[in-house]
Amino acid sequence: MRSSWRRLLSGVIAGVGLTGSLEAQATRELQVQALGAFASAEFIGGGLGVALRTRGRARVGVTLNAGDLDGSLAGRAEAVASYHLNPYAVRGITPYAGGGVAVAATEVETFEYVVILVGVETTPGRRNGWFAEVGIGGGVRVSAGFRVRWRSRSRR
């Protein structure tokens, strides 16, 4: 039990370390989401995430989810980098693609996955908007949620 949660925590810390090293960010995000991964072992849950967007088209984020993995209480952490086609759109829907890693853990087992996804988000150039994703990562991975964005002050 303890080693599963230690592995999950280690994965999250590694992801946070990756996002924390990107100092010259233009936008920061907080998101709330629902996530499902459907395969032989199904995960259904929800959680929170943080992300940093560069001044270009890149986004690096970490999410923590709690939920059910085949009838057991579980946690799932993800670290995903994505490329956004129109990150400054103030109207409409814009697509993106991304990839990363995920770790899901129960008291008994730990699972590691590679995540590949495509998604759409509304109004990425505004302070908030909805998103939806589909891909693979522990089975067919589906996620949807809401993002709040704010610009960071540049450090010089």
Side-chain angles (χ1 to χ4, degrees):
M1 174 180 143
R2 289 183 181 162
S3 68
S4 297
W5 288 105
R6 285 182 187 154
R7 288 182 197 160
L8 178 63
L9 184 58
S10 296
V12 170
I13 290 169
V16 169
L18 175 64
T19 60
S21 68
L22 301 173
E23 289 294 328
Q25 298 304 316
T27 305
R28 297 175 187 210
E29 293 181 339
L30 178 64
Q31 75 182 37
V32 60
Q33 70 177 21
L35 184 134
F38 306 97
S40 59
E42 294 183 349
F43 177 86
I44 298 174
L48 298 173
V50 294
L52 299 172
R53 288 184 185 246
T54 66
R55 288 184 170 87
R57 298 174 185 265
R59 178 181 183 275
V60 177
V62 176
T63 59
L64 298 174
N65 299 280
D68 178 87
L69 181 63
D70 279 348
S72 298
L73 179 63
R76 180 174 168 128
E78 295 186 348
V80 174
S82 54
Y83 180 83
H84 297 250
L85 293 181
N86 190 2
Y88 301 108
V90 293
R91 290 191 177 136
I93 296 173
T94 185
Y96 60 93
V101 295
V103 177
T106 66
E107 290 185 15
V108 180
E109 298 179 275
T110 301
F111 304 92
E112 298 88 12
Y113 307 110
V114 172
V115 175
I116 299 172
L117 60 89
V118 294
V120 293
E121 64 182 336
T122 61
T123 61
R126 291 196 174 176
R127 292 187 53 81
N128 56 54
W130 295 93
F131 72 94
E133 300 171 344
V134 64
I136 58 171
V140 175
R141 180 192 176 280
V142 179
S143 179
F146 187 75
R147 292 179 177 147
V148 177
R149 304 173 190 96
W150 65 95
R151 294 196 186 281
S152 62
R153 298 177 184 169
S154 63
R155 298 177 187 178
R156 290 188 183 209

